[in-house]
């Protein structure tokens, strides 16, 4: 702005000089010396007014440019998170059987369509409205929210894609045997109640992130709960609901033998499952860095770059260590477990991607990738819960684990960096409270739906496939 002012003043003075030269050439000054004084006075006044105007306009113009850049960055990140929907659809379809592919794809469309409408109508107000346990509802109205300069409509869209992610996680764990009508019912419950309430406790300014003196978290732990992009708030919420839903629903026909041994039911297409993971990996670069919600300053640029790095390193570490452990454990490097290892690393780093170092991100990703394998086996063989895509382990277990590990590896507040155990306690408490809320509400909702209408399709429909019976068409002909 200073550079442009200097250029403007130079142009004004050059113009005045040219006018004076013209007047001299025509003997105007010789005839009336007051003309020269008038021209000089006018030029000085013009320059003074220009300087004052620029000084007033500069802060406003810079602020508008910064706000515009921040808004564009937020909406671009929202687009990337939205692109995770086809990623989830492909992963779930690839890990399940051909006869249920259309059903899987339909559910991933529906949870975004329903989720968007319901979150706009009800959920956003419950999440960001004023209140202690839950926000004050503001049906179809966004004017109550102060976005700190960001447009309310843009912020709603950004939050909507996160809500849709929590809802779509559940569909994979309950795939191949759930009535489509019941899927619609519990998607409504997630979008308008379960996710907005726990989201209000955290991102909505609620008690888990209240850092004021005298607040519960500060009095108890001396620190607040930290979940930068949603390991707990989004992923573990979806994961715990998925685990409870799969348990109530029961295993697929033929999954367990009469003596209780687990039988593998391979998915029909690991190619599209792998493509889905690549898409999710790309989308996570909006999910995590986009949660910075600003890109206009040097500090924002550095923060975004750091989150990009930690996100990618954790994904790579999760996939690599899942590959190694599956190779050692089963004698072959498993593609399906490696794919879920990448997702486990991404889920695990989401809470602390802004707070841990690059080395910490690699460690968190590696731990989540390894734990995921043993969690899948434990849920399948010990708990006898049939989760076709491993959503409970990837999102529930690793979301909770990544949140807790942030309490160890945060460079500012982590236990391993000499900050004491207060922040770690806050992380453990927050992960457990949100997990208990999601699992408890999921249990109530699924039990009620099961008693009222029945969650599960009939044996014949399950054996022949949901595509034809539920939708009247097949994905493959």
């Amino acid at each position: 702005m200073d550079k442009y002012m200097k250029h403007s003043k130079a142009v004004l003075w050059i113009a005045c000089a040219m006018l004076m030269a013209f007047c001299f050439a025509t003997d105007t000054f010789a005839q009336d010396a007051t003309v020269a004084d008038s021209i000089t006075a006018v030029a000085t006044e013009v320059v003074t007014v220009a300087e004052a105007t620029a000084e007033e306009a500069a802060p406003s113009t810079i602020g508008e440019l910064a706000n515009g850049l921040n808004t564009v960055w937020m909406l671009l990140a929202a687009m990337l998170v939205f692109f995770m929907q086809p990623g989830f659809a492909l992963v779930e379809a690839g890990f399940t059987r051909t006869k249920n592919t259309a059903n899987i794809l339909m559910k991933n469309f529906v949870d975004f369509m329903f989720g968007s409408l319901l979150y706009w109508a009800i959920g956003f107000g419950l999440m960001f409205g004023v209140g202690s346990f839950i926000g004050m509802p503001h049906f179809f109205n966004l004017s109550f929210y102060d976005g700190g300069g960001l447009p309310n409509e843009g912020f709603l869209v950004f939050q909507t894609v996160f809500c849709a992610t929590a809802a779509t996680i559940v569909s994979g764990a309950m795939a191949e045997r759930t009535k489509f009508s019941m899927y619609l019912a519990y998607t409504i419950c997630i979008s308008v109640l379960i996710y907005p309430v726990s989201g209000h406790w955290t991102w909505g300014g609620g008690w888990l992130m209240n850092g004021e003196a005298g607040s519960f978290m500060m009095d108890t732990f001396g620190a607040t709960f930290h979940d930068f992009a949603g390991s707990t708030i989004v992923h573990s919420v979806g994961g715990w609901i998925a685990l409870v839903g799969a348990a109530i629903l029961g295993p697929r026909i033929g999954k367990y033998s009469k003596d209780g041994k687990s039988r593998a039911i391979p998915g029909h297409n690991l190619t599209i499952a792998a493509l889905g993971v690549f898409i999710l990996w790309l989308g996570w670069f909006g999910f995590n860095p986009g949660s910075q919600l600003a890109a206009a300053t040097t500090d924002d640029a550095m923060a975004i770059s750091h989150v990009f790095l930690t996100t990618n390193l954790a994904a790579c570490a999760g996939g690599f260590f899942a590959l190694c452990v599956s190779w050692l454990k089963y004698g072959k490097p498993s593609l399906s477990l490696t794919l879920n290892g990448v997702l486990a690393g991404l889920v695990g780093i989401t809470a602390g991607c802004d707070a841990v170092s690059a080395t910490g991100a690699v460690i968190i990703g590696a731990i989540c990738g390894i734990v995921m394998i043993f969690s899948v086996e434990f849920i399948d063989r010990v708990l006898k819960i049939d989760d076709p895509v491993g959503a409970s382990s990837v999102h529930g277990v690793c979301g909770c684990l990544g949140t807790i590990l942030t309490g160890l590896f945060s460079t500012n507040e982590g236990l391993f960096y000499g900050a004491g155990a207060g922040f770690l306690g806050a992380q453990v408490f927050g992960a457990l409270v949100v997990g208990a809320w999601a699992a408890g509400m999921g249990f109530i909702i699924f039990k009620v739906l099961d008693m009222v209408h029945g969650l599960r399709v009939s044996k014949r429909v399950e054996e022949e496939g949901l595509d034809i019976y539920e939708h009247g068409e097949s994905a493959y002909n």
Side-chain angles (χ1 to χ4, degrees):
M1 185 60 67
D2 291 340
K3 178 178 69 174
Y4 294 125
M5 273 304 304
K6 291 177 181 178
H7 290 170
S8 300
K9 288 190 286 185
V11 169
L12 286 171
W13 284 117
I14 290 171
C16 292
M18 293 177 65
L19 180 59
M20 289 180 178
F22 174 78
C23 291
F24 273 118
T26 57
D27 293 331
T28 301
F29 283 121
Q31 298 173 11
D32 190 354
T34 59
V35 175
D37 295 336
S38 299
I39 291 175
T40 303
V42 169
T44 302
E45 182 66 21
V46 169
V47 171
T48 302
V49 171
E51 289 177 340
T53 303
E55 288 176 359
E56 293 177 359
S60 176
T61 303
I62 294 173
E64 289 177 0
L65 289 173
N67 188 63
L69 180 59
N70 291 338
T71 301
V72 170
W73 166 242
M74 178 181 67
L75 294 178
L76 176 61
M79 295 177 202
L80 288 171
V81 179
F82 168 74
F83 194 50
M84 293 172 72
Q85 287 294 127
F88 279 116
L90 293 177
V91 169
E92 293 170 16
F95 279 156
T96 52
R97 290 169 288 185
T98 307
K99 61 186 180 181
N100 300 307
T101 302
N103 178 258
I104 293 289
L105 299 178
M106 186 67 166
K107 289 193 293 186
N108 278 273
F109 272 99
V110 163
D111 60 39
F112 188 80
M113 293 186 294
F114 260 48
S116 295
L117 293 170
L118 293 167
Y119 190 73
W120 160 67
I122 304 172
F124 185 77
L126 297 179
M127 186 165 173
F128 291 99
V130 177
S132 54
F133 178 79
I134 190 170
M136 176 68 67
H138 294 268
F139 302 107
F140 306 97
N141 179 20
L142 308 180
S143 62
F144 73 93
Y145 183 73
D146 179 11
L150 294 172
N152 288 355
E153 290 86 352
F155 187 70
L156 167 65
V157 171
F158 184 78
Q159 290 297 329
T160 296
V161 292
F162 280 74
C163 178
T165 298
T168 199
I169 289 168
V170 183
S171 68
M174 300 175 65
E176 302 199 287
R177 68 252 198 229
T178 305
K179 292 178 181 177
F180 184 69
S181 58
M182 292 297 93
Y183 180 77
L184 297 179
Y186 71 71
T187 295
I188 293 172
C189 296
I190 294 171
S191 300
V192 303
L193 179 62
I194 301 177
Y195 175 76
V197 170
S198 56
H200 177 74
W201 297 347
T202 49
W203 292 342
W207 61 282
L208 282 178
M209 287 188 176
N210 185 354
E212 297 179 358
S215 66
F216 172 81
M217 294 298 288
M218 294 304 295
D219 286 348
T220 306
F221 302 104
T224 59
F225 180 66
H226 180 87
D227 189 354
F228 184 72
S231 285
T232 287
I233 299 168
V234 177
H235 292 282
S236 78
V237 165
W240 297 133
I241 297 172
L243 181 65
V244 171
I248 294 174
L249 192 61
R252 292 168 290 176
I253 296 173
K255 174 61 180 174
Y256 296 102
S257 63
K258 291 182 179 180
D259 59 0
K261 290 185 179 180
S262 176
R263 296 169 176 166
I265 302 179
H268 83 280
N269 195 330
L270 285 182
T271 301
I272 66 171
L275 176 59
V277 171
F278 274 122
I279 291 173
L280 288 171
W281 199 337
L282 172 64
W284 237 285
F285 291 133
F287 204 97
N288 288 3
S291 295
Q292 179 68 18
L293 292 178
T297 67
T298 301
D299 289 341
D300 291 329
M302 293 177 66
I304 291 169
S305 300
H306 179 74
V307 172
F308 258 91
L309 177 64
T310 56
T311 299
N312 190 59
L313 289 176
C316 294
F320 177 73
F321 278 88
L323 182 156
C324 293
V325 171
S326 68
W327 202 341
L328 292 171
K329 186 173 177 61
Y330 303 113
K332 300 287 184 181
S334 168
L335 173 59
S336 59
L337 288 175
T338 299
L339 296 177
N340 268 343
V342 170
L343 297 180
L346 288 166
V347 170
I349 196 58
T350 297
C353 53
D354 66 321
V356 304
S357 67
T359 302
V362 171
I363 296 172
I364 291 173
I367 293 173
C368 289
I370 294 169
V371 169
M372 178 275 303
I373 292 178
F374 293 96
S375 174
V376 166
E377 188 173 279
F378 178 80
I379 290 172
D380 181 29
R381 298 183 181 180
V382 178
L383 299 181
K384 297 291 191 295
I385 297 175
D386 182 17
D387 182 348
V389 304
S392 305
S393 298
V394 170
H395 299 278
V397 173
C398 293
C400 180
L401 181 60
T403 303
I404 294 171
L405 289 173
T406 302
L408 299 175
F409 291 100
S410 171
T411 55
N412 292 325
E413 300 178 281
L415 180 64
F416 290 167
Y417 287 81
F423 180 59
L424 175 61
Q427 293 299 96
V428 172
F429 178 77
L432 292 178
V433 167
V434 174
W437 162 257
M441 290 302 299
F443 179 82
I444 294 171
I445 289 166
F446 287 127
K447 274 295 186 182
V448 170
L449 292 176
D450 196 34
M451 289 187 295
V452 171
H453 194 267
L455 286 172
R456 189 165 183 150
V457 297
S458 67
K459 181 179 179 180
R460 179 179 178 180
V461 172
E462 184 176 344
E463 289 177 338
E464 297 185 19
L466 277 67
D467 287 2
I468 297 298
Y469 286 94
E470 291 280 279
H471 305 287
E473 55 191 348
S474 176
Y476 300 100
N477 294 298

